[in-house]
Every structure is written in C-alpha cells, then in structure tokens.
Amino acid sequence: MSDTTAPPRRGFTLPPMTVIGPVLALVLLIVLGASLNSNFLSAANVTNVLARSAFIGIIAVGMTFVITAGGLDLSVGSMAAFVAGLMILVMNAALPTLGIGLPLVLLGMGVALLAGLCAGLLNGLLITKLGIEAFIVTLGSMGIYRSLVTWLADGGTLSLNFELRRFIRPIYFDGLFGVTWPIIVFALVVIIGEIVMSRTSFGRHAAAVGSNEHVSHYSGISVARVRLVTYVMLGLLVGIATILYVPRLGSASSSTGVLWELEAIAAVIIGGTVLKGGFGRVWGTVIGVLILSLIDNILNLTSLVSPYLNGAIQGVIIVLAVILQRGRKASS
Amino acid sequence: MADPILSLRGIRRSFGPVEVLHGIDLDLAPGKVHALLGENGAGKSTAMKILAGYQPASAGRILLDGAETQFHSPHDGESAGIIMIHQEFALAEQLTVEQNIFLGRELRKGLLLDKARMRQLSREYLARVNSQVDPDTLVSRLSNSEKQMVEIAKALSRNARVLIMDEPTAVLTSREVEILFAQVDALRAAGTAILFTSHKLDEVARLADRVTIMRDGAVVHSGPADQITEDGMATAMVGREMSDLYPAKPGIPPGAPVVLKVRDLSVARYAQGIGFDLHQGEILGLAGLVGAGRTEAMEGLCGIRPKTGGIVEIKGTPVTIRKPADALAHRLCYLTEDRKLRGLLLDMPMRPNLTLQALADFAGLLIDRKAEDKALDQAIQDFDIRGSRTVRVGNLSGGNQQKLLLAKIMLSEPQILVVDEPTRGIDIGTKQQIYAFLRRLAAEGHAIIVISSEMQELIGLADRILVMRAGRQMGILSGAALSEDSIVRLALGVSDAKSAAETAPEVPA
C-alpha cells in the first residue's frame, strides 16, 4: 500500500459496513416487526424474546472467545442437556436430606457450574494438550454428552420433583424491577464479556492467538493456556445458561439444547467475529443472537411467511454475514 | 560446445523498487551439467525460477533453441521440456508415489485411468533412480531423500530436456548422493541439459562441466569447471568492498563482564555442542549456511523450542529456560527472522502489535490504551517508523515492519538480544539504520547476537563471529580472522591445514 501517512479524518465518516451491517439489520427487523404486529413492542413480547435469547446468548458470548482464539466448540448444545440432566438428578437425590429450600438450589447451581467447567476443561485439554482438532474433539464430546443424557433419562425425560419445580420457577420468571433474571444475567455476562474481550490482556491474547499462534508463541504468550481458558469459560457459561434454563420447564431430555451449538456459532459469525479467529466482538454476538431470535419471533407473530421457513431465513442471514466479512478482508 | 537449448540474455528482475537480478547471461547446453553458485541472496533461486517459468523476468530475453520465447507459467516451461525440482518438494503428500508421478498427465484408457500402465511405468522410472519405493506408498510416508528420488523419477517421466535442481543433495545421505550422481551422469549421456545449485563445492568440482558464480544479482564468473579450483569458487562467491554502511566498532572493552555463558547447547536434530561467552557491549555474529541450525540453536536458547542439553548462565547465575516467558523474565529476547509469520500479527494495526510481548506492563485489570498510544508515539519517533497507525501492519513496507518488530522487542527491555536476519528483504537505507541501532544498543551495555546469512553484514557489524555447519560449532573468529574467506571455509567445511591456523576455534574458557 502506498499511503504512508494517515490522512487526518475530516467530518463524520461512516463506520465500515461490518460494524453497521448487523446493527442495521437489527433495526430493520425491529421496524418490520413493529409495523406488522402491534404486540411486537409490548413489554410481554420484548421480555419473552430477550429471556429466550438469554440461553443461546450467554453461551454465544463464551463461543465468541473460543472462536476468536481460533477454536470451535460443537458440543455446547449437548453439554447443556447433560448439565441440565445432572443438575436435576442431583437436586432430586438431595431433596430428602436437604428439603426444599435455598441450600438445595445452591447445590444444584454448584453442580451445574462444576459440570460445565469440567466439560469445558475436558474439551480444552484434549484440544491443547493432545493437539487434536477442535472440530473433532467437540464433535466427539457432542455425541458423548447427548448420549449420556439420553441414558440418564433412560430414553425419556428427567423431571424435577413437582414441588421443587414450583420452588425454583422464579429463577426464570421473576426478576428485579420487572426485568427477569435471565435477562439480567445475560446483560451482566455481555458487559463483562465485552470488557474482557476489548480491554484486558486476556482478550488481546485471545485475538493474538487466533490471528497467528506462532507470533503469539514468539511473543511469550502461552498459546495452549489461552485456548484452554476459552474452553473452560465457555463450559462455565453453559453451566450458567443451564441454571437459568432448568427452572423454565423443570425437565431435561435427549432433545434439550438440540442445535444450540449451531445457533450460538451463527450468532457469533453474524456479529462480525471472524470464523477463523483473530478478531472478535462480544457486542456483535449479542446483535447476532437478537437477530436470530427476532426472525423467529416475527415469523411466529405474523402470517407473512410460514414459521417453518425460520431455518431457511436464518441460513440466508448467516451466509450474507460471511459475504460481508469477506468484503472487509478484500477492502482492507 | 553444442548450441545451448536454453539461454538467458540480459535478464533483469525487480521486486517492487528493488532490482535483484542485474542482467544475467546463462547458457544451458545439451549433455552438460552446469553448476550455479553464490551466497544466499545472490539471486540463484530467482534466476532458476525465471528459467523454468515460475517467475517472469522484468527485462531481458529467454532463448529456447536459439529462438526468443516467453514463459508465462511453469506449465509453459514444462511443455518446452524444462523441469525444475524445488528445494521444498512440490509433491502432493496425501497422494501415492504413482499418482504424483503422473499428476496432471494421467494416462487413460478411454474414459478410465490406465492404472496398470501407470504402475508399470512408475516402477520403471523408480528403478532408473535405484529407488526401492513402492509406487503405491503415500508420499507423506517417505523420507526426504526418498521424496527427492520420486521428484527425479517424476522429471524422468516428463522427458525433461532441461533439468533444474535447487540444492538436490541437501537432504540426501552420501549413498543417495551417489545414486543421484549416477543418474545425473546417465541423463548427461542422454543429452539432457542440467543446472543445479549446491553449497558443497567438492560436489560441484566433481559433477559439473561448467560453473557460473553469482554475487549480488550479477554473474561474476562463468567458465569450464576444470579451470577453477574449490578455493577459487569460494573466493569468487565472496570478495566485495566494505563500505561505511556499518558503524565503527569500538571493540569489546577489556574486562567487560560475561553476561551470557552457554556451554554444550543442543537442540535435537538441529544443533549440538554450541558454547560461547557473550560480553556486555558485544555483538556476536552467528554465521553458517541456511540449514546449519543457527536459528534452531538460538530458539532453543530462548525457550522457543525445547533444547535437549546444555548449560546457560546469565550474569554468572545458571538459569532454566523452558518457554519464551522464562527467557523474557531473564531479559533475554529473541527477534525472529520471519517477521511476517512469527513476528507480527499482520491483520492488526500497530498498537496491539507493539505491546503484545510487554502487555503486562500496560495492563492492570484492564489495558491502559492511553499508555499504549504513548508508547506507540515514542516508538514511531525512536525507530522512524513510517506508515499509518490504523492500517493493518501487513500493509507496511518490510523495513517499517522490521522497525516495528524491533520496537516491540525493545519494549520488553531485553538485556541480551538475539536478532535473526535483521535486514532480510529490506532496503539499504533501513539496513544502515538498523546496524546503527544495534551498535548503539551494544554501546549502551546490551549484549547482542546477530544471526545472518550475509557474511558482509556480519563482518561489518560483529565483534566476533561464531560459525556453524550442519548443527555443529566450527569455530569462533575474531580480529583479523574476520574475513569472508575464513567464514566460507568454516561454513563449507573446506578448511585446510593452511587456513587452520587463522581460523582455529576459540576454546571456551
């Protein structure tokens, strides 16, 4: 390139398409939804959309770090199902001793977090210590967790004790100042995630590792440790998402969390994180999650297009997002 | 001499503003073996690539059987019967030997592949190079020397009129070298024109009919092989005037403390028995041919790759260095030769690149971007880095990338600095800036090791020069012994009784 001096910026320059693109798409969807259905912007609908986005969203924030550092995790959907099943089993088993109350709920939460952390650690260790492709490792663990939860449920459904279910329902349905807990937790995860990604050494290191692991190694960064931590973080976030998910239905089965991994990856990519690593933004992922949820919501609320075409429309959006990313590469 | 099959006339080649070939003439005659010699960077590879159509010439003519021609791609070259065997093999690792030999020219019977015929021909070609390899083996399972033989079998299958080989013996055992030479003799008798490069002058003397020697992108000698001695070849390869490109050497002050003491450093497969003392204020050169293990030895020293043995003392204290962070903690820092793949994050702008290694100094819980920006301002000023701060560094010029890399390393305040090929691919003005900078660092009390394949650079810059050959330390030169001649002798292993006196290895105390 020939420009050797940065031309001083004059006036207002539009941010690049990769920044505006997802935001613009989200705004368009909101305008579209509002004009098609008067209930779209009602508090009930907005709360519903955000709360349902929270599960995928919390996981997608973790996925943003994994992908930014040059990895991938296909196992998060079945991991969530497995963690949910385990959490239900442990809580039911401890019910006679602990009784219904806060200690039992805390035990369930602890189990979920610990299980998620261990699952993430296992993925991470296999990938970084044994040097197996992330795709292969997590494809394998995806099958393992899915199969384990089916086995635990004996092919059926694992249900929380009925009384216990009533006791923990508020975790999903209640909240503070009219904002439900899943939304609050989602917001916290996003804020912390965005700060970690853009303002801390770890975030910088994750992007560096994804951009070029040799450069990172030569710069004294422990490539394996950075990658490992991203998988552990993701596992932990899967645990958090599960804690919020279980109170909603109070059950887990082999169909819990199916395709969550693809929705999470899609949200990350739509948000502008580069699939091959090296650049990631958490706020973009949030927009990606909201775009996917809104499409689903609008199709359900309106009769414009059959809701059965939801997957097709999401697919088109994902491919468009990647084409936009390519445009960035070519122009820079 | 018979009329040449392939000739270069006044070939010039520029990469951007830098001209690397300044009007090359070369003739390849049928039934003759032609050796092309020169230091690294003399332009041999570029000349060969132009011959085979891998790169276009910027100016000049290529004559095929006396008629001017143009090669737009290696395919054009191959159609004319010109086959090049690269130093890095161009075989598809996941295909079988047979599939590789016939890659792109598969034999067919009707619509289907004629596997039987290809199998039979593969066996014939492999037999001609005395190779025991089964045509059905995957190339990824072959050793380097077996791959070399497959490459030659592949060239045979293409009825090469001109065969160009880039350092064909570099990866071969001596027994395999014999087989290769026998095959070259057979090809010569069959009237093939052969061009090869080698750093092993005895092989050249033995095999070549004609020798052409290049230096700095120009031919400095061309003539029959029996009219030049190995010594003469070495002399012709080197021997340039020194200029004031290099800063003055104050010499190591007597009594300067040893800051780095290395004994018996070994890195599996690459280096063994490396030992030296590095003094405060000293620049120690590390010379040797490409592949001599210089980079690997220093990477072992700095914890970038595992070392298999050796004692390292920094300022008199034995230290254990297992990973780059350990070296950094002892203020020992390695600056890579490969700034594009190992030095800089090309997709990112200057700021994250500058602070990547010393990020801990800029971050508590959060990264202090203002401090980063200030450091970048300072670095741009100190190192005279020109270019936009917001553009991705992949778009900076090589010289500016190198300066940014230097700035990045210096941010972690190393006491001992290992710089690997610090001036590769950059222009002369920037080179001078980098030499001056390294000397200034030394004067300020740093200790520096410079790895370089340019002997002039080492002689101009270094106080002493350690020469490696095939993973072993051949000697340490200092004072009057710092000459290209003595370096080449050690690096090529042609040191004889006469020169042994002046190149006697320094015995570490």
Side-chain angles (χ1 to χ4, degrees):
Chain A
M1 250 172 96
S2 55
D3 65 322
T4 49
T5 50
R9 292 251 163 109
R10 285 203 190 84
F12 178 76
T13 47
L14 230 51
M17 195 56 198
T18 49
V19 177
I20 323 180
V23 180
L24 216 60
L26 184 64
V27 171
L28 277 177
L29 275 176
I30 292 172
V31 170
L32 184 75
S35 62
L36 287 175
N37 190 310
S38 53
N39 278 332
F40 181 74
L41 288 179
S42 69
N45 190 51
V46 170
T47 297
N48 179 35
V49 168
L50 287 177
R52 279 162 168 269
S53 307
F55 311 128
I56 300 284
I58 289 168
I59 293 171
V61 169
M63 189 69 82
T64 309
F65 283 89
V66 167
I67 291 180
T68 300
L72 192 70
D73 193 338
L74 296 173
S75 71
V76 290
S78 16
M79 195 193 291
F82 173 66
V83 172
L86 209 61
M87 182 176 162
I88 289 169
L89 276 182
V90 170
M91 285 174 81
N92 280 345
L95 183 59
T97 29
L98 290 178
I100 291 179
L102 196 61
L104 183 60
V105 174
L106 288 179
L107 173 72
M109 289 180 170
V111 165
L113 292 178
L114 190 70
L117 187 133
C118 290
L121 191 67
L122 185 69
N123 277 340
L125 285 176
L126 287 171
I127 292 162
T128 57
K129 296 293 171 204
L130 294 188
I132 311 173
E133 290 271 347
F135 187 93
I136 304 296
V137 168
T138 59
L139 191 65
S141 52
M142 171 173 140
I144 292 170
Y145 297 135
R146 180 64 62 201
S147 165
L148 280 179
V149 74
T150 312
W151 174 67
L152 287 179
D154 205 13
T157 303
L158 287 165
S159 295
L160 263 184
N161 172 286
F162 188 74
E163 289 301 313
L164 188 53
R165 202 186 305 184
R166 277 198 21 203
F167 183 73
I168 67 166
R169 261 174 67 90
I171 295 177
Y172 181 77
F173 292 96
D174 281 3
L176 279 179
F177 313 115
V179 185
T180 60
W181 289 116
I183 301 175
I184 294 171
V185 174
F186 182 27
L188 283 176
V189 166
V190 166
I191 290 167
I192 295 170
E194 174 65 29
I195 290 172
V196 170
M197 179 66 89
S198 64
R199 300 295 305 277
T200 67
S201 301
F202 176 73
R204 183 73 64 80
H205 284 171
V209 166
S211 177
N212 186 326
E213 57 181 287
H214 297 298
V215 172
S216 306
H217 177 60
Y218 277 72
S219 300
I221 297 171
S222 170
V223 173
R225 201 176 67 203
V226 170
R227 287 230 165 97
L228 181 64
V229 171
T230 63
Y231 287 102
V232 172
M233 257 176 70
L234 177 53
L236 209 55
L237 287 170
V238 168
I240 292 175
T242 309
I243 290 173
L244 297 167
Y245 176 81
V246 166
R248 181 168 160 236
L249 296 176
S251 66
S253 71
S254 60
S255 61
T256 301
V258 168
L259 291 186
W260 280 13
E261 62 281 341
L262 293 190
E263 276 200 54
I265 293 170
V268 171
I269 301 310
I270 293 172
T273 294
V274 178
L275 183 56
K276 67 176 175 53
F279 174 80
R281 52 182 185 212
V282 171
W283 66 262
T285 298
V286 177
I287 302 229
V289 170
L290 293 179
I291 287 176
L292 290 179
S293 308
L294 281 185
I295 292 172
D296 184 43
N297 184 244
I298 290 172
L299 293 186
N300 278 321
L301 285 180
T302 65
S303 51
L304 202 62
V305 185
S306 161
Y308 295 132
L309 281 175
N310 183 6
I313 296 177
Q314 290 187 349
V316 170
I317 301 267
I318 293 163
V319 174
L320 275 179
V322 173
I323 292 174
L324 275 175
Q325 269 190 19
R326 181 126 37 117
R328 179 181 92 113
K329 244 196 123 87
S331 69
S332 65
Chain B
M1 194 166 91
D3 287 338
I5 300 177
L6 188 63
S7 303
L8 297 182
R9 286 288 173 271
I11 290 291
R12 292 175 181 278
R13 170 73 185 165
S14 303
F15 292 103
V18 185
E19 190 175 86
V20 295
L21 290 184
H22 319 293
I24 300 290
D25 293 343
L26 196 66
D27 289 308
L28 302 183
K32 297 289 177 198
V33 176
H34 200 134
L36 186 59
L37 305 180
E39 289 180 28
N40 299 316
K44 295 168 299 184
S45 292
T46 310
M48 285 192 293
K49 284 178 182 162
I50 289 173
L51 274 171
Y54 283 84
Q55 284 180 4
S58 304
R61 296 180 302 149
I62 302 173
L63 304 177
L64 182 66
D65 297 316
E68 186 163 346
T69 185
Q70 277 190 329
F71 298 141
H72 299 288
S73 69
H75 188 75
D76 288 358
E78 253 188 63
S79 314
I82 302 162
I83 310 287
M84 177 163 175
I85 299 178
H86 296 265
Q87 207 175 346
E88 317 89 47
F89 300 108
L91 296 172
E93 295 269 326
Q94 297 304 323
L95 297 184
T96 65
V97 168
E98 173 190 323
Q99 286 166 336
N100 264 288
I101 289 177
F102 286 95
L103 192 61
R105 309 171 313 121
E106 288 80 0
L107 303 180
R108 274 179 302 188
K109 201 160 38 180
L111 281 176
L112 303 177
L113 292 174
D114 188 352
K115 287 196 177 168
R117 176 107 184 100
M118 286 196 282
R119 175 67 48 92
Q120 182 205 339
L121 285 174
S122 298
R123 284 194 201 288
E124 278 176 28
Y125 295 132
L126 288 168
R128 277 177 67 186
V129 291
N130 288 0
S131 173
Q132 306 297 320
V133 172
D134 181 353
D136 210 21
T137 318
L138 286 184
V139 164
S140 57
R141 307 186 67 121
L142 300 183
S143 71
N144 274 339
S145 51
E146 288 172 325
K147 287 181 191 172
Q148 178 72 277
M149 289 304 167
V150 171
E151 280 276 17
I152 293 167
K154 185 174 160 187
L156 290 177
S157 78
R158 281 160 210 230
N159 297 318
R161 295 180 66 208
V162 178
L163 182 62
I164 300 171
M165 297 183 284
D166 193 357
E167 295 210 36
T169 60
V171 295
L172 300 188
T173 65
S174 55
R175 193 179 58 83
E176 289 162 336
V177 167
E178 289 308 317
I179 296 169
L180 174 71
F181 284 6
Q183 196 54 45
V184 167
D185 283 334
L187 286 170
R188 169 167 32 204
T192 310
I194 295 165
L195 178 74
F196 77 103
T197 62
S198 176
H199 284 297
K200 298 171 188 161
L201 300 184
D202 51 336
E203 288 178 359
V204 172
R206 183 163 147 214
L207 200 60
D209 300 302
R210 243 186 123 70
V211 174
T212 292
I213 300 171
M214 292 179 67
R215 191 168 70 218
D216 289 340
V219 171
V220 293
H221 172 92
S222 190
D226 50 15
Q227 287 176 20
I228 184 166
T229 60
E230 286 181 40
D231 245 19
M233 293 181 207
T235 311
M237 280 165 63
V238 297
R240 278 165 296 180
E241 302 254 340
M242 294 272 267
S243 69
D244 54 359
L245 185 59
Y246 304 100
K249 289 185 209 173
I252 312 167
V258 172
V259 288
L260 176 69
K261 184 168 158 181
V262 175
R263 289 291 176 274
D264 212 19
L265 174 72
S266 300
V267 174
R269 286 184 304 156
Y270 291 107
Q272 66 184 106
I274 308 298
F276 57 87
D277 288 338
L278 183 65
H279 302 86
Q280 184 172 347
E282 179 184 18
I283 298 183
L284 174 69
L286 196 44
L289 301 172
V290 168
R294 298 165 300 170
T295 294
E296 290 79 5
M298 289 302 110
E299 287 185 348
L301 174 67
C302 298
I304 289 163
R305 61 171 74 222
K307 65 170 183 284
T308 41
I311 299 164
V312 178
E313 286 181 15
I314 291 178
K315 291 184 176 162
T317 316
V319 295
T320 311
I321 296 171
R322 289 209 185 82
K323 53 184 194 286
D326 295 342
L328 278 178
H330 291 106
R331 299 175 68 193
L332 164 65
C333 202
Y334 169 81
L335 193 144
T336 174
E337 63 181 317
D338 193 343
R339 57 180 172 259
K340 282 179 189 293
L341 292 181
R342 294 171 183 171
L344 296 172
L345 299 168
L346 299 180
D347 282 333
M348 295 195 185
M350 283 187 197
R351 192 182 63 190
N353 269 294
L354 177 70
T355 57
L356 189 61
Q357 186 157 312
L359 199 55
D361 297 341
F362 292 90
L365 195 57
L366 300 182
I367 296 173
D368 183 349
R369 291 194 201 162
K370 284 205 184 90
E372 276 191 297
D373 276 326
K374 236 168 93 186
L376 181 56
D377 288 338
Q378 192 66 41
I380 288 175
Q381 195 190 334
D382 288 353
F383 291 85
D384 188 30
I385 304 169
R386 294 165 208 175
S388 162
R389 313 164 64 120
T390 52
V391 75
R392 44 193 289 275
V393 301
N395 288 335
L396 297 177
S397 74
N400 283 311
Q401 286 177 355
Q402 190 67 29
K403 290 186 205 167
L404 179 62
L405 190 54
L406 262 176
K408 165 186 166 179
I409 300 299
M410 293 316 295
L411 260 193
S412 41
E413 299 181 338
Q415 183 68 41
I416 305 162
L417 192 57
V418 182
V419 286
D420 198 348
E421 302 283 1
T423 65
R424 178 182 285 170
I426 63 182
D427 62 275
I428 194 98
T430 309
K431 277 186 185 180
Q432 198 159 14
Q433 284 181 317
I434 286 174
Y435 298 145
F437 173 75
L438 291 175
R439 182 46 79 183
R440 196 168 71 236
L441 278 183
E444 287 167 3
H446 295 78
I448 300 171
I449 298 173
V450 177
I451 304 175
S452 176
S453 297
E454 286 186 45
M455 279 178 270
Q456 277 294 343
E457 178 169 290
L458 287 182
I459 292 169
L461 194 60
D463 298 302
R464 295 184 302 154
I465 295 177
L466 189 161
V467 185
M468 283 179 69
R469 174 172 188 269
R472 291 181 178 276
Q473 179 169 339
M474 304 298 286
I476 296 181
L477 305 168
S478 61
L482 285 185
S483 71
E484 292 203 27
D485 194 50
S486 36
I487 296 174
V488 169
R489 281 167 196 283
L490 288 179
L492 297 180
V494 296
S495 184
D496 54 44
K498 181 195 68 172
S499 60
E502 66 197 45
T503 60
E506 180 180 291
V507 181

